[in-house]
Amino acid sequence: MGVYTYLATDGAASVVEGTLIADTPREARNRLRDQGLSVHEINSEATTQAGPLHGSTLLGFLAKWLHRKPDTSGFLRELATLLEVGSPMLEALDTAIKTRRGSFHRVLLKLRERVAAGSSLAEAMRASELYGRPVFDDVTVAMAQVGEDAGGLGDVLNQVASYEERGKQFKNRLATALAYPALVMLTGIGVSVFLMTYVVPGLLDSLTE
């Protein structure tokens, strides 16, 4: 399964660009033709899915441990803005996904495919994983479900994005506040080890002579 970018024209001769997931370039081209598009260019992004390889190898373990959490708050904020101005869900997803890169981009493409297949946004978010970990936490998924049921999804996603941003700011402030005490403690431990290992034994030897 790969990710493909395409350039095509529709029945009104308007240029259409986008991405889709397919097993082969031929399948991707056929799916676009089924949508009534005339395909002019299709290219593979040469990406691989985060599947069993990541979960069963040392490289996969390191990827899970080292990877940064995707910028879900930025994506949710942009999606909320598009929905609030009246953009259809799939069009809003396409626009928000275009500005993302890397593994998060591929995750969002899969999310878009699930929504296009009939899943709700909350269901698609619940199924989204990156290196075996959920991309969207339970609170975000639950809030998205509430927004869809109540008909105010854009406003709810904005609130979730604000909540996530405040959480990130708090974590950054906490890390900054703890950095200096941690540095002082490590320096003190290093000095103590040096004194006990090199200085004190030398003083004891000179006193016993």
Side-chain angles (χ1 to χ4, degrees):
M1 187 79 68
V3 178
Y4 298 89
T5 58
Y6 63 86
L7 176 66
T9 52
D10 57 18
S14 300
V15 176
V16 180
E17 296 180 83
T19 54
L20 78 163
I21 298 175
D23 289 326
T24 63
R26 181 183 294 274
E27 180 187 342
R29 190 177 295 273
N30 290 338
R31 287 174 59 184
L32 292 170
R33 287 174 178 169
D34 290 343
Q35 297 174 23
L37 299 176
S38 177
V39 182
H40 300 289
E41 183 178 336
I42 187 163
N43 298 297
S44 172
E45 292 193 356
T47 58
T48 56
Q49 298 185 56
L53 177 63
H54 287 285
S56 59
T57 65
L58 178 60
L59 180 61
F61 174 80
L62 291 175
K64 290 181 182 181
W65 186 68
L66 293 174
H67 90 280
R68 296 178 59 187
K69 188 179 186 299
D71 180 23
T72 53
S73 60
F75 166 72
L76 294 175
R77 179 81 70 190
E78 186 173 348
L79 180 60
T81 301
L82 292 166
L83 293 175
E84 287 181 335
V85 299
S87 297
M89 174 61 75
L90 292 180
E91 182 180 325
L93 285 171
D94 286 337
T95 302
I97 289 171
K98 284 181 181 179
T99 60
R100 269 68 206 178
R101 294 293 181 268
S103 56
F104 189 37
H105 181 258
R106 297 193 293 275
V107 169
L108 294 178
L109 284 175
K110 295 176 187 176
L111 181 147
R112 195 264 185 204
E113 290 290 315
R114 295 186 185 102
V115 173
S119 298
S120 67
L121 179 64
E123 291 171 343
M125 292 168 68
R126 184 178 292 109
S128 298
E129 293 186 348
L130 181 61
Y131 299 127
R133 299 177 180 177
V135 174
F136 302 96
D137 58 35
D138 292 339
V139 173
T140 300
V141 173
M143 291 293 289
Q145 185 68 64
V146 170
E148 288 179 304
D149 293 342
L153 182 59
D155 183 55
V156 169
L157 292 181
N158 259 325
Q159 294 180 35
V160 173
S162 297
Y163 171 79
E164 290 190 2
E165 288 166 356
R166 287 195 298 270
K168 290 178 183 177
Q169 291 172 359
F170 174 76
K171 289 179 181 178
N172 290 337
R173 287 198 297 267
L174 182 62
T176 302
L178 293 176
Y180 180 72
L183 179 61
V184 171
M185 182 180 68
L186 290 175
T187 303
I189 293 174
V191 171
S192 298
V193 171
F194 174 77
L195 291 174
M196 297 300 295
T197 304
Y198 297 100
V199 178
V200 173
L203 289 175
L204 293 177
D205 290 342
S206 61
L207 293 174
T208 56
E209 289 179 354

